[in-house]
């Protein structure tokens, strides 16, 4: 299991197989509301209100369709490494919206709300996996910053999420 995120009286816990939502209105007797299968490593979660859930995906086994069969090819359009976005407005029935691919995936993520920008939220992503092949995701490259100022090796990704259309 990974970190917890909270939305109202719900606790959401990511795990390597997806995430679970618990009703913790009575903290001494939590109730499982739903389990959502969507494998990848880490699957750290964060939430924006009781509206959106963000789940980190870092290892090479995560699929863009949340399938359980994994990804065996070294380069594949079926792989997700980055962040997955879910609509949790009906928290008992989460809906997978999309994913945003990054060069190293993301081990963890944080949500930032800018009070000067009410139409968007921002995700800060940090990955610790090796850099993907540019054949899998264009723009991914390695090297030290002295060798390559565009290296993805030390990158912190920031994703702007428009609330009207995440």
């Amino acid at each position: 299991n990974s970190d917890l995120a909270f939305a109202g009286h719900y606790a959401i816990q990511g795990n390597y197989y997806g995430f679970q939502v618990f009703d913790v209105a009575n903290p001494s007797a939590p109730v499982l509301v739903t389990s959502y299968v969507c494998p990848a490593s880490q699957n750290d979660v964060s939430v924006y209100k009781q509206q959106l859930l963000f789940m980190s995906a870092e290892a090479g086994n995560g699929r863009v369709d949340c399938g359980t069969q994994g990804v065996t090819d070294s380069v594949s359009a079926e792989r997700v490494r980055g962040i997955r976005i879910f609509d949790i407005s009906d928290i008992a029935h989460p809906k997978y919206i999309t994913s945003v691919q990054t060069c190293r995936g993301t081990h963890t993520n944080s949500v930032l709300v800018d009070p000067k920008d009410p139409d968007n939220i921002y995700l800060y992503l940090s990955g610790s996996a090796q850099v993907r092949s540019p054949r899998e995701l264009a723009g991914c490259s390695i090297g030290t910053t002295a060798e390559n100022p565009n290296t993805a090796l030390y990158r912190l990704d920031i994703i702007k999420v428009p609330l009207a259309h995440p």
Side-chain angles (χ1 to χ4, degrees):
N1 293 319
S2 68
D3 297 341
L4 295 171
F6 297 91
H9 59 89
Y10 298 100
I12 303 163
Q13 184 169 42
N15 60 61
Y16 278 60
Y17 215 65
F19 64 90
Q20 296 176 308
V21 177
F22 295 92
D23 184 331
V24 293
N26 178 354
S28 63
V31 175
L32 178 65
V33 174
T34 191
S35 279
Y36 194 99
V37 175
C38 194
S41 72
Q42 207 55 38
N43 281 344
D44 272 7
V45 291
S46 62
V47 295
Y48 173 73
K49 299 186 178 181
Q50 195 172 315
Q51 182 179 346
L52 297 172
L53 176 130
F54 304 98
M55 189 166 67
S56 293
E58 186 171 62
N61 67 323
R63 295 178 55 87
V64 294
D65 63 0
C66 288
T68 59
Q69 64 272 40
V71 179
T72 57
D73 295 336
S74 60
V75 172
S76 176
E78 297 173 340
R79 180 174 291 112
V80 64
R81 285 179 63 199
I83 197 81
R84 290 173 168 149
I85 303 173
F86 296 86
D87 176 342
I88 57 166
S89 54
D90 178 358
I91 204 157
H93 303 96
K95 293 180 185 156
Y96 179 50
I97 299 172
T98 193
S99 62
V100 178
Q101 302 280 5
T102 65
C103 290
R104 295 183 69 205
T106 178
H107 184 81
T108 190
N109 70 84
S110 298
V111 175
L112 173 81
V113 177
D114 180 351
K116 297 175 190 166
D117 187 4
D119 297 330
N120 301 288
I121 58 172
Y122 297 84
L123 294 175
Y124 283 67
L125 312 178
S126 177
S128 59
Q130 68 184 32
V131 177
R132 294 165 102 159
S133 166
R135 292 180 303 138
E136 185 168 275
L137 185 62
C140 295
S141 62
I142 61 171
T144 66
T145 52
E147 299 166 339
N148 177 2
N150 296 316
T151 183
L153 193 56
Y154 310 107
R155 186 179 296 167
L156 173 72
D157 292 295
I158 303 168
I159 298 173
K160 181 178 180 178
V161 179
L163 292 171
H165 188 69

